[in-house]
Amino acid sequence: MVQRLNHTFDRALAHVGLVVVLAGCVSEQQTPYPRTPAPIPPTSQTRPPSQYPVPTQPSPQPIPQAPAPVQPQQPKPQSTVTLALQDEAQRAATAGDLPKAIQILERAIRIQPDSAQLWIELARCHLKEGNAAQAEQFARKALLFTGNRYDLEQQAWVVIADARAEKH
Amino acid sequence: MPRKKSNPPAGRRTRRQLIGNVLIVGCLGIALIAGYLLYLDHLITSTFDGRRWSVPARVYAQPLELYPGLVVEANEIEVELKRLGYRRGPLNLNAPGNYTHTGNEVRATLRAFTFSDGPRAPIDVRARVADHAIDTLYENGEPASLVRLEPPLIGSFFASHGEDRLIITPEETPTLLSEGLKAVEDRNFDTHAGFDLKGIARAAIADLRSGDLSQGGSTLTQQLVKSYFLDNRRTVWRKLKEIAMAVILDARYQKADLLNAYINEIYLGQDGERAVHGFGLGSQFYFNKPLSELDPAEIALLIAVIRGPSYYNPFAHPERARSRRDLVLGQMSEFGLITAEQHAKAIRQPLALTRSARQGGGYYPAFLDLVRDQLGTNYDATELASRGYRVFTTLEPRVQDAAEQAVATTLDRIEIDRKLPRGDLEAAVLVANNQTGEISAVVGGRKAGFQGFNRALNARRPVGSLLKPVVYLTALESGDYNLASIVEDAPLLQTDVRGKAPPWEPHNFDNEFHGPVPLVRGLGDSLNLATVRLGEAVGVEKVAARVATFAGIEQPPAYPSLLLGAIDLTPLEMTRLYGVIASGGFATPVKTVLAVEDAAGATLNRYPLEMQQVAQPEAVTQLTYGLTMVMQHGTARASRFAMHGVAGKTGTSDDFRDSWFAGFDATHLAVVWVGYDDNRDTKLTGSAGGLQVWDALMASLHPAPITLTTPTGFDLQTIDYATGGLTRADCGEPVTVPIPYNARLPAVPGCGTGFMERFRQWFSD
């Protein structure tokens, strides 16, 4: 299982062509991933907005007449509340209790449903548990909340790639 | 004849035979009786052992999570504590269950609880609220990041017409209850052998004196036997059998076990279809608090009720119940169980019943229907009614109560304001978590506490304009449209080419034609003709397929009238459909159960999150912008939250039979239906009915604006709501929505955004 995971993992990395920091449910990687407002790792391909191929929105302007839906350029930093739960989930996953890790992550998601980190972590746990189909879905869910955190975006895509590899 | 001589005389012979026969019959009789007693022994011990643990599954709601930053008021925390039976009083970690609330600080000693992810010992928690949110949180004096209250108990799965109970251990039994029971019901309980001749004699004398049959003379053990076999026929044989069983029980078990069994077994009242058994549930039923927290007058009332739960029903016959309670208090005082002062105080106390609005067994019957559906695939009814399982669900009691309250007050107000007949209007509400799809609340009708027709799950009603967002989403997903794209709101007449169907000629709500309008306005003003044209351009078949996927139903026939919501769906199906929008494009199965545990706390089943991406996130984001414009400029602009950055859509079916609203803020999606069960005209639009309920609900939930990221490849542009042309913030009716960066929009004449305009804006920023 670990062998196979490693294998698919390598393939996925090669596929994406990136070095990303991974943690949590992929337990062989123990480095915790950066927490906001930590700097984005230099290895990730972060581009300043001006270099990005599609024009990003102009400076956030208030929508006339009414408060608009909130426009986050930066995703909200993950709260210390859910960070504590994420650590707990990570410990459970490392101890091999994936169902418990998933349960704790779901609890964290109920508190902070727009945290890309939590969804990525949940996706990893499902992938490790052998549920590639749901892992992909949760990684896709994470993509809704990555904002301009391209490191998180990449992490989500890695899980998607792994999940796809696992399925085939 | 020596032989003859040796024979005994005939008389002696018959006597001996007789003795022999008697002996044989006697032995047989003894054997029979012994056998029968053995049978009784087996019957009573197996019943006793079996019944002691026959406990219906308990259903729990989600616990309230407290953490710094949680948007909540101090009094809302207090409400939550009260729901859990906490009372204002001195704090003591050794006797948890009390709280204090001073100014903006709430402090409580939380009880121990075994959560599905592990146990927690009693803790002292202190939360300070500032600016409508928790500012600081302490657990046992240390700063804490997260503390959860216990999950509230919201119901149990007793068998139909069956018994429900809350098991009380000997340690949890107040001494006044056990001693009081003995004093009133069975004074020699500690010494008799299950049967009490002295007690019978005393009861008989008392009955003779008073002239009625109020004194029973049955021991607690006999009452226990009687309760097990539910037999009230008063025959000598039954009585003997009852006594025999009582004696057997007494010989077999400790007095403490028998008393505990009695305390958990005895029938204390009827709650709709549910028989209230035992003092644990009795305490909750009559006083809405745990047994350990009852005062002497309350304990006395429960003891008083035993003798005749319907005759002494304190709800129906308060006078009777009170005079018997006072009798019990008198005996407690006589036996020195309470002091004279306690007695004097207690008899002055009113009955102080908590007449729960929730009758009929389930505290939240509409929600429990959904729980039952989800559990039904894995567990059968007998299992749920007997094995003492714990079921952890997604219900948020705070949200549920807000939804019930919103329905009750809004329907009353609408009927008064509009001079409609009182009490006829009905409603259904479902609330779900946007991102997980978990169901937070279900209201199945106006009388939410009663088991009845569950409209949230079972009322199939035409959805009208509530379906239109699917048409717009299908168009946006095709890539050929954006919110500024123009569609013609002009007359339509469709004839069936085969001549079989009558011609179809839809009209707008205002019976007018609005000419070329942008999509954002077609959706916002819910324009029928624009929507039909758009739907036909993208393909009715495609829209029908989307409806089926989103709502989790069979694909409906692709008639053009589908585009205007000519389809009957339940509020639950509409919740699934809108869940796809609120979640950014993910469909989730209906989910109410998180985990099931057996009586020992071992997990039997976990139900993890499940979802499937079914819609393009970019299209969903555009649609959601459109739905915020429904609130700000369109048919829902009467909402008190129109300008709060929330999204929603009104729906009105033909002839005002159904008034719908579906909307969401950053956390919760709520779908509301208002109408009459007999389908008559409500005279209410979606805005005048469903939206009013939704507003009232959201008002209790502190709505937060939706977070929307501009999709990659899009720019936020300010366009004119009426015409779709580019405009300035101070020109026409400007709305800001995401537009593909390569889309070329005409400018509204006189409202240009040329260089000079931008130049001016730089300086005004």
Side-chain angles (χ1 to χ4, degrees), chain B residues 493-499 501-504:
Chain B
L493 176 66
Q494 293 202 337
T495 43
D496 186 347
V497 282
R498 293 159 300 173
W504 186 59

Side-chain angles (χ1 to χ4, degrees), chain A residues 70-114:
Chain A
V70 177
Q71 286 291 315
Q73 277 294 60
Q74 281 282 4
K76 268 185 279 177
Q78 197 178 351
S79 72
T80 50
V81 183
T82 54
L83 276 179
L85 286 175
Q86 194 181 317
D87 284 344
E88 203 184 321
Q90 227 155 293
R91 281 195 298 275
T94 310
D97 193 348
L98 287 170
K100 185 169 181 182
I102 288 170
Q103 194 181 9
I104 295 167
L105 286 169
E106 287 187 3
R107 183 182 168 203
I109 283 170
R110 262 174 229 117
I111 293 168
Q112 199 181 8
D114 57 357

Side-chain angles (χ1 to χ4, degrees), chain A residues 12 15-16 123 127 132 135-143 153-167, chain B residues 613:
Chain A
H15 181 69
V16 179
L127 185 60
E136 176 177 347
Q137 295 302 320
F138 296 134
R140 290 189 174 277
K141 185 85 181 178
L143 288 172
E153 204 176 312
Q154 281 163 1
Q155 290 178 31
W157 279 110
V158 168
V159 177
I160 292 170
D162 285 354
R164 290 263 169 103
E166 193 90 343
K167 275 192 277 186
Chain B
Q613 192 166 38

